[in-house]
Amino acid sequence: MIVEAEVPLKLTLFGEHAVVYGKPAIAYTVSESIKVRVRESEKFYVSSQNLQIKGVRVDLHEFKIENDNVRKLIAYVTEVINYFNEHYGYKDGKKAAIEIESNVEPSIGLGTSAAVVVGTVAAYSRFLGLELQKQEVAKISHEVELRVQGIASIMDTHTETYGGFVFIKEGKVEKLEVPPSITFSAGYFRRIMTTAEMLRNVRSLKEKNPSLFTTLLDSIEKVTVEARTALTSGDADKVGELMYVNHGFLFSLGITVPVLDQFVSMARASGVKGCKVSGGGGGGAVICTKDQRAELLLNALGGKTINANPTFQGVTVKLI
């Protein structure tokens, strides 16, 4: 028996980083996905034939692979197994081979890490004979992410579990009805800062100037709330205007890098309605209102485009 979970990746439209501190955010799932397959095995192992992981270093003295993404990937999968051992009475776990299939690089702001968690929770639970509802998959996935990372909002795990456009505030998820006239172009650049470094930048600003930090987060919240109305009413011009404003606040938080700021500035100068960093920053994902000029510019600056069309199904599980 092979159980396969397919998880859509996501883009953050508004409120990244601020959502970690209790502010609202808006995200949606795109037409890029990862697959997690679980099959019976005599022992646990994790494999991926096409997950693109760069910067691997091997300690030949201890014959140990040193790479943050590899460690996190294994930690996420291991923690999912530990969770079911602890909460569902599988004392030694049910041995399984877990295969991860992805056509995009990890750690680029598309929620690939969360997708690995959601996919492993959904597939491994079905492998164990459990029929979890999406609410349970989202809850467990967030708990696993917290165990591994120490800090995480519900945004990525819940968006990818449920699918579509979501408004997240104070631990609650609300699905948004966004008209099909609102469309986006997106892609990503190579990251030059780690997530840990970006979180430290934001935390450093909070500690050095708490008053300014609070003002910035309150401003991001206001933009996000206004964006919710603009999105659901189909006001593309307003959405675009707010995207540029949100990018400026993220620059002030210290999570953008020169190539992202250059891309956003050039997009604005060329007439693209809206554009901003999407996700953690430090390189990674960018999103613009749908425009061929944005896609050409992204490629010209060395980025990669993705299929940013929305999907609405969330995680799905099947037997193959």
Side-chain angles (χ1 to χ4, degrees), residues 55-68 70-71 74:
V56 175
R57 185 174 67 176
V58 179
D59 180 342
L60 293 177
H61 179 68
E62 297 183 8
F63 207 74
K64 181 175 65 177
I65 295 176
E66 297 179 358
N67 178 278
D68 285 341
V70 172
R71 276 196 294 269
I74 294 171

Side-chain angles (χ1 to χ4, degrees), residues 29-247:
T29 47
V30 300
S31 299
E32 301 278 358
S33 65
I34 74 160
K35 294 178 181 178
V36 178
R37 300 185 188 94
V38 178
R39 71 183 75 205
E40 292 184 27
S41 174
E42 293 181 357
K43 59 183 179 180
F44 283 112
Y45 73 86
V46 180
S47 65
S48 178
Q49 298 301 315
N50 61 352
L51 185 63
Q52 303 171 37
I53 297 177
K54 298 179 180 179
V56 175
R57 185 174 67 176
V58 179
D59 180 342
L60 293 177
H61 179 68
E62 297 183 8
F63 207 74
K64 181 175 65 177
I65 295 176
E66 297 179 358
N67 178 278
D68 285 341
N69 288 322
V70 172
R71 276 196 294 269
K72 277 189 177 180
L73 180 67
I74 294 171
Y76 289 133
V77 173
T78 301
E79 203 55 56
V80 170
I81 293 166
N82 290 341
Y83 183 94
F84 285 101
N85 289 350
E86 294 170 15
H87 294 270
Y88 288 87
Y90 291 91
K91 204 167 187 182
D92 299 315
K94 185 177 178 182
K95 301 296 188 297
I98 298 171
E99 179 186 355
I100 298 164
E101 179 183 321
S102 173
N103 293 319
V104 300
E105 300 171 33
S107 191
I108 54 171
L110 298 178
T112 50
S113 295
V116 168
V117 178
V118 170
T120 306
V121 169
Y124 188 64
S125 62
R126 183 68 62 85
F127 177 74
L128 294 176
L130 302 170
E131 296 280 346
L132 299 185
Q133 299 299 310
K134 284 191 173 182
Q135 182 180 1
E136 296 170 288
V137 172
K139 178 179 177 294
I140 294 170
S141 298
H142 176 55
E143 185 168 332
V144 167
E145 206 175 34
L146 275 177
R147 288 186 182 191
V148 175
Q149 296 180 186
I151 182 171
S153 77
I154 67 169
M155 180 172 66
D156 288 10
T157 51
H158 283 59
T159 301
E160 292 173 343
T161 299
Y162 292 109
F165 290 84
V166 299
F167 180 81
I168 296 162
K169 185 177 182 182
E170 297 175 348
K172 295 180 181 178
V173 178
E174 176 189 346
K175 296 279 287 239
L176 298 181
E177 294 294 328
V178 176
S181 58
I182 300 289
T183 53
F184 300 97
S185 297
Y188 60 92
F189 294 95
R190 183 179 64 86
R191 263 186 155 175
I192 60 176
M193 293 171 62
T194 67
T195 300
E197 288 172 328
M198 290 177 288
L199 288 171
R200 280 198 297 270
N201 283 351
V202 175
R203 191 181 304 117
S204 176
L205 177 61
K206 180 178 184 291
E207 292 170 353
K208 290 178 181 176
N209 198 330
S211 177
L212 176 60
F213 183 79
T214 298
T215 299
L216 280 171
L217 260 60
D218 287 345
S219 298
I220 292 173
E221 178 177 23
K222 185 175 181 182
V223 166
T224 303
V225 171
E226 287 189 24
R228 175 187 174 182
T229 301
L231 282 165
T232 55
S233 65
D235 189 343
D237 290 339
K238 184 67 172 178
V239 170
E241 175 186 306
L242 292 170
M243 289 172 76
Y244 283 123
V245 173
N246 198 167
H247 182 85

Side-chain angles (χ1 to χ4, degrees), residues 2-41:
I2 302 174
V3 182
E4 179 182 274
E6 184 168 4
V7 189
L9 300 181
K10 65 87 208 176
L11 284 163
T12 310
L13 280 167
F14 296 93
E16 50 271 274
H17 281 281
V19 71
V20 177
Y21 295 89
K23 298 299 185 180
I26 300 172
Y28 80 100
T29 47
V30 300
S31 299
E32 301 278 358
S33 65
I34 74 160
K35 294 178 181 178
V36 178
R37 300 185 188 94
V38 178
R39 71 183 75 205
E40 292 184 27
S41 174

